[in-house]
Amino acid sequence: MVRILTRLGAVKKDIKEYEDELVDFKIGTISGNLRAVVADEEVDFKSGESIPVKIKDISIPANYIFFISAYASNRQGHTIAVGEETPLPISLDRHVDHAMFVAAVDGSIKKNDLLGVIILLPVELTHSSI
């Protein structure tokens, strides 16, 4: 009997450790990532205004959905949306570069201020038309 020795077990273990390092959280078998929404410009605002804010580029991998954390990360208001100049399908890599910020009080945003957090989740597409 011939026995073939391979590193398959070690490779599988290395891949698992690598994948675990790439995710920020797990809920059961679902793993996801967190990304900070950080201002890339200074903006003044009044209470109640909805203002567009240029943000530092955030990469969104293909076949990931994302949503904004409901926890208000900025005491002056809340980020309600993020996007890019040209919306792309979920099946392509995307990059968001601006946010919509709703002010709760009069104030200003400085460059590098934390505006919010987005949560990225991988999805498996079931229809090719998406």
Side-chain angles (χ1 to χ4, degrees):
M1 176 161 176
V2 176
R3 182 173 175 211
I4 300 173
L5 298 175
T6 66
R7 286 186 6 100
L8 185 58
V11 170
K12 285 181 179 179
K13 181 182 175 197
D14 289 345
I15 290 172
K16 169 104 173 81
E17 288 175 4
Y18 175 74
E19 288 172 347
D20 287 346
E21 290 175 6
L22 294 179
V23 300
D24 294 328
F25 68 90
K26 286 186 177 185
I27 302 172
T29 59
I30 300 169
S31 58
N33 297 91
L34 303 171
R35 296 290 181 264
V37 178
V38 178
D40 201 27
E41 67 177 342
E42 295 188 12
V43 181
D44 295 323
F45 49 80
K46 300 279 185 202
S47 176
E49 285 184 333
S50 296
I51 55 168
V53 180
K54 186 175 185 309
I55 61 171
K56 295 194 178 197
D57 189 69
I58 302 171
S59 295
I60 310 295
N63 300 324
Y64 270 71
I65 58 170
F66 65 93
F67 56 97
I68 298 172
S69 170
Y71 183 79
S73 302
N74 187 299
R75 67 186 187 112
Q76 298 182 85
H78 195 71
T79 300
I80 60 168
V82 296
E84 57 193 329
E85 184 177 338
T86 304
L88 296 172
I90 192 172
S91 59
L92 298 176
D93 289 337
R94 295 157 288 154
H95 298 273
V96 296
D97 59 5
H98 63 274
M100 184 58 70
F101 186 81
V102 177
V105 296
D106 293 352
S108 64
I109 292 171
K110 306 292 184 220
K111 190 171 183 174
N112 296 320
D113 278 356
L114 177 65
L115 302 180
V117 174
I118 62 171
I119 300 164
L120 295 161
L121 295 172
V123 296
E124 182 179 339
L125 300 178
T126 58
H127 294 85
S128 60
S129 63
I130 299 176

